[in-house]
């Protein structure tokens, strides 16, 4: 059950950066031993947490019909990705617990969720690593007020064990809590309770997700990172991620945060001003052949295309032979949709390659908890490795701090 | 009820291209009179079509619980945008007709839709301008087979009046049909039955959508186009569209097709090789402040940010004053979410402007059928105008033809 990387169409020679790769490997391993790469420990150190999540789920059994996530950015993307990949696309129409994600402060978001759920039968999972995210804190304050005496039973908080306002509140008032390990940032937190708790409640096998992550292939991740690094050197800094699988549709959103936020930096590790950046574009095959392909084929050569694919879909649809008298319909008779989408991808790949538009493909054998765990960890590892290759700090986000301060300044003047 | 454009933070002087703008106006108007800009007629010439749609809806009353769109790209984006903007975000959980969009040939897509609907109570709207889109045709063949004798009653076809296989099939077999006017391409077709028929069935006031479109401000659209043109000249060809409104979340997807496909061309109108291109990035505020802002602030200055905003939301949430003893929570007490999201946008705008990252804002008074009609038409007009400024043909897509031929070649070898 390995994820394969095909980079035949990249026309870049990894040998040219062999030394750089070797020194990045050394550097990653040094940083790991210094406790600076703690996301790498998650596939191995969340065993007890998993048991605690499963116990908690058992305890809440029969009490809830909905789970509402109060969290934004890295506190929500992981749940979106896991749910989209592993559950029914129309889950909320006929399954429980229904999932609602309040990852915005458009007032209509929470309003419409509250219209839909019986709050007395709803688990509210408040998620903020820092414990200070104002969007999330504001939603917590609203929900706590509405729940009144039932707040302690129906709110569960995922945050840092020591720092931030939320852990103080949780301790004072006795809320159930789960922790994001200190050295793991929000965008690397899908394999902590941030992603695992909602996943468990939504019926996913979280042990398998972690087992998949623990067996991700680092060599493949390194090659994937190296291809992206060489593309950057080649002045291509737009990375289109285009799954040809509905179940992977939201991976580009998650990848976009992970890579854009981690790898866009003004200053490198030596203090040089670099203003480097990683633009991720999101697409879906075959759908976006009808909206984006013109750009990829005839537009500027400032990008690479990263396809995601599967060997096997979960279901099949076969086109019947009911128009044998019309040539353009007859040719489709008897063809399975899984074959048609693969031919579409093959045609897109060939068209791109013919005009010199570089592209590569990550192929999962089939979408399961195990392979999704593999994929997410592999992308995290690639991201960290790219940070080393680029000589930048992939784990901070200095650019957004100023805006956060401005909001407090504006609030104080209301 | 006007849409406003604030381009204070663009630091570009429109006077520099005044002559170019004037000659583009002349050129657009000439092309319009030659029948080369037929999308501009739609706000005025769809009156009879609207009546036919409403009659058809009346005729189907009581017969259907679901509407399934079989269409891809421009045949689906318009419905996504209108439904997302104007209906309840959890529509399918409690309203009818439920909407399902089969805009992919991942075999699981149609499979899961068929799991959810009673096909005997479902309207299938097959939409393809060319009448040859293989993804859509293949789905039509499957559904027609499943419906058997009920196919004629439950399939409605939207296509070109004369060309393509689908109109032949429709005529032979007596399917109900609606037409995409000859001179209107798929990505400009939201104001034809392509977008209007599903919208009407979903309960929207399609006359208001057209009335809004008819009152869109062309001057604002021209300024919007001019700002984007000058950004391109300034080597910024990444356009981030970031609504601070959930209801506009899918506008960037629609805009992305419209602008990327129309304005990415290898060759200009004089035959010069230009390989120009329009990369659209999709974001949502305040959500993506937590995933993309780091890139916009510290990354390369290769982009502009286009915010979408509203003066008034439909609902409100007020944060209670329940933590007066903790400073960082106290400051939120009493603040409405509509105010908090506006301050978030203001802080983002200020942070971007401080580091020289250009940005502009389109503000709608409130989201209604009328203002959405205005917005969509305004963006279409801007797109056509940009085509004139860039001296390219905004209405073809030569780059994707080769891939389409390749698929038929592969199919013939199965």
């Amino acid at each position: 059950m390995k994820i394969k990387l095909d980079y035949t169409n990249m026309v870049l020679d990894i040998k040219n950066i062999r030394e750089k790769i070797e020194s990045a490997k050394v550097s990653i391993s040094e940083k790991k031993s210094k406790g600076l790469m703690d996301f790498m420990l998650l596939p191995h150190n969340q065993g007890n947490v998993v048991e605690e999540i499963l116990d908690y789920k058992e305890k809440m059994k029969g009490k809830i019909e909905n789970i509402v996530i109060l969290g934004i950015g890295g506190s929500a993307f992981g749940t979106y990705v896991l749910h989209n990949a592993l559950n029914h696309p129309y889950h909320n129409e006929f399954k429980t617990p229904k999932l609602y994600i309040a990852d915005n402060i458009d007032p209509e978001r929470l309003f419409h969720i509250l219209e839909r759920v019986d709050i007395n039968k709803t688990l509210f999972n408040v998620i903020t690593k820092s414990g200070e995210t104002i969007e999330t804190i504001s939603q917590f304050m609203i929900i706590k007020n509405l729940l009144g005496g039932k707040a302690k039973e129906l709110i569960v908080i995922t945050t840092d064990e020591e720092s931030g306002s939320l852990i103080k509140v949780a301790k004072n008032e006795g809320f159930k809590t789960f922790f994001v390990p200190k050295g793991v940032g929000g965008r690397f937190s899908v394999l902590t309770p941030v992603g695992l708790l909602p996943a468990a409640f939504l019926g996913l096998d979280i042990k398998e997700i972690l087992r998949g992550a623990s067996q991700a292939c680092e060599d493949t991740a390194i090659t994937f990172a190296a291809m992206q690094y060489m593309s950057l050197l080649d002045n291509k800094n737009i990375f289109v991620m285009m799954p040809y699988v509905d179940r992977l549709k939201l991976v580009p959103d998650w990848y976009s945060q992970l890579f854009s936020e981690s790898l866009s930096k003004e200053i490198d590790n030596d203090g040089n001003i670099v203003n480097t950046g990683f633009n991720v574009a999101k697409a879906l095959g075959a759908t976006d052949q009808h909206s984006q392909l013109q750009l990829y084929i005839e537009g500027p050569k400032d990008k690479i295309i990263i396809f995601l694919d599967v060997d096997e879909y979960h279901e099949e649809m076969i086109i019947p032979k009911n128009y044998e008298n019309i040539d353009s319909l007859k040719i489709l008779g008897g063809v399975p949709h899984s074959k048609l989408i693969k031919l579409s991808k093959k045609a897109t790949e060939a068209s791109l390659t013919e005009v010199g538009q570089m592209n590569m493909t990550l192929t999962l054998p089939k979408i399961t908890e195990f392979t999704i765990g593999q994929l997410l960890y592999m992308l995290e590892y690639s991201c960290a490795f790219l940070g080393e290759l680029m000589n930048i700090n992939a784990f901070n986000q200095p650019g957004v701090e100023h805006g956060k301060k401005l909001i407090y300044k504006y609030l104080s003047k209301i």
Side-chain angles (χ1 to χ4, degrees), chain A:
Chain A
M1 293 289 274
K2 283 254 176 216
I3 295 175
K4 289 167 290 183
L5 173 66
D6 178 351
Y7 55 96
T8 321
N9 300 333
M10 287 299 288
V11 209
L12 293 168
D13 192 348
I14 200 166
K15 283 195 224 79
N16 296 336
I17 59 160
R18 186 54 70 194
E19 272 180 42
K20 210 155 172 109
I21 289 174
E22 292 309 320
S23 74
K25 281 184 190 173
V26 173
S27 156
I28 281 241
S29 140
E30 281 172 8
K31 286 185 181 167
K32 185 181 174 189
S33 63
K34 283 184 195 158
L36 298 171
M37 293 275 168
D38 281 0
F39 80 91
M40 291 172 67
L41 309 176
L42 297 173
H44 313 286
N45 72 4
Q46 295 293 291
N48 292 341
V49 176
V50 164
E51 295 306 329
E52 199 187 334
I53 290 172
L54 296 178
D55 287 349
Y56 179 61
K57 185 187 166 188
E58 189 59 29
K59 200 190 124 205
M60 296 303 288
K61 205 172 169 180
K63 293 184 187 165
I64 60 158
E65 291 172 356
N66 313 288
I67 175 164
V68 174
I69 307 296
L70 307 180
I72 196 165
S75 301
F77 281 128
T79 297
Y80 275 120
V81 168
L82 294 173
H83 185 58
N84 177 248
L86 297 161
N87 279 330
H88 195 286
Y90 305 107
H91 176 94
N92 269 21
E93 290 180 23
F94 69 116
K95 297 202 170 183
T96 57
K98 295 183 199 298
L99 171 69
Y100 299 91
I101 299 184
D103 63 337
N104 203 1
I105 44 168
D106 177 328
E108 294 188 45
R109 180 72 67 100
L110 202 49
F111 184 93
H112 287 303
I113 291 173
L114 292 174
E115 266 190 328
R116 290 296 307 143
V117 306
D118 175 349
I119 58 167
N120 293 309
K121 292 180 182 163
T122 301
L123 182 68
F124 292 91
N125 189 188
V126 184
I127 310 177
T128 153
K129 155 85 176 166
S130 70
E132 302 287 358
T133 312
I134 60 167
E135 293 91 341
T136 306
I137 296 287
S138 77
Q139 294 169 330
F140 161 73
M141 289 166 74
I142 292 169
I143 296 300
K144 196 202 124 172
N145 209 45
L146 288 174
L147 284 172
K150 293 206 80 173
K152 228 174 95 175
E153 187 188 348
L154 293 173
I155 290 177
V156 52
I157 291 174
T158 306
T159 188
D160 188 88
E161 196 165 356
E162 289 170 359
S163 65
S165 295
L166 202 56
I167 188 63
K168 292 187 193 76
V169 168
K171 281 182 184 165
N172 279 344
E173 304 178 31
F175 286 111
K176 173 74 182 165
T177 48
F178 286 88
F179 302 120
V180 193
K182 188 151 282 311
V184 177
R187 57 186 178 269
F188 287 87
S189 70
V190 60
L191 302 175
T192 74
V194 170
L196 297 177
L197 190 149
F201 274 84
L202 290 162
L204 306 183
D205 184 341
I206 58 176
K207 288 183 185 172
E208 273 295 286
I209 295 173
L210 289 170
R211 198 173 69 86
S214 75
Q215 291 183 34
C217 177
E218 289 183 357
D219 281 346
T220 306
I222 288 171
T223 308
F224 185 64
M227 288 294 146
Q228 292 176 85
Y229 177 66
M230 286 187 288
S231 303
L232 273 178
L233 293 184
D234 197 24
N235 291 315
K236 299 180 202 317
N237 80 341
I238 300 175
F239 294 73
V240 179
M241 181 172 270
M242 190 173 188
Y244 268 74
V245 196
D246 280 352
R247 286 178 181 270
L248 300 180
K249 183 181 177 185
L250 298 185
V251 175
D253 291 80
W254 181 85
Y255 166 78
S256 175
Q257 181 194 29
L258 184 65
F259 279 62
S260 293
E261 199 166 25
S262 300
L263 303 171
S264 301
K265 294 291 147 72
E266 184 179 17
I267 294 169
D268 73 8
N269 290 334
D270 301 321
N272 304 310
I273 295 185
V274 287
N275 285 114
T276 190
F278 221 95
N279 297 289
V280 174
K282 311 161 192 172
L284 178 70
T287 308
D288 287 322
Q289 290 178 200
H290 297 260
S291 71
Q292 301 302 313
L293 195 55
Q294 172 68 28
L295 166 69
Y296 308 156
I297 299 271
E298 296 207 346
K301 296 287 171 289
D302 52 7
K303 56 180 68 65
I304 62 169
I305 319 290
I306 300 162
F307 295 114
L308 303 181
D309 205 354
V310 287
D311 287 327
E312 191 189 337
Y313 294 88
H314 291 220
E315 310 294 347
E316 187 58 278
M317 294 296 305
I318 296 176
I319 308 168
K321 299 184 180 186
N322 47 0
Y323 282 101
E324 298 289 290
N325 56 334
I326 303 176
D327 285 350
S328 63
L329 275 62
K330 181 183 177 183
I331 201 168
L332 293 167
V335 177
H337 262 179
S338 65
K339 182 88 185 169
L340 188 59
I341 194 169
K342 287 209 172 293
L343 294 183
S344 295
K345 180 186 175 254
K346 190 177 158 192
T348 297
E349 223 179 315
S351 305
L352 292 171
T353 305
E354 263 179 51
V355 296
Q357 173 55 64
M358 294 198 290
N359 59 87
M360 59 179 162
T361 300
L362 279 169
T363 304
L364 282 66
K366 190 174 180 175
I367 311 288
T368 63
E369 277 91 341
F370 184 86
T371 59
I372 288 292
Q374 265 187 311
L375 176 68
L376 298 183
Y377 182 80
M378 221 198 83
L379 292 174
E380 289 179 346
Y381 188 88
S382 287
C383 179
F385 202 87
L386 251 165
E388 293 308 306
L389 290 173
M390 292 165 73
N391 190 34
I392 56 171
N393 180 350
F395 302 100
N396 64 0
Q397 52 283 334
V400 302
E401 302 305 329
H402 181 56
K404 287 184 186 171
K405 281 180 199 142
L406 278 182
I407 296 176
Y408 279 110
K409 193 176 135 195
Y410 299 154
L411 279 170
S412 70
K413 288 182 181 168
I414 288 180

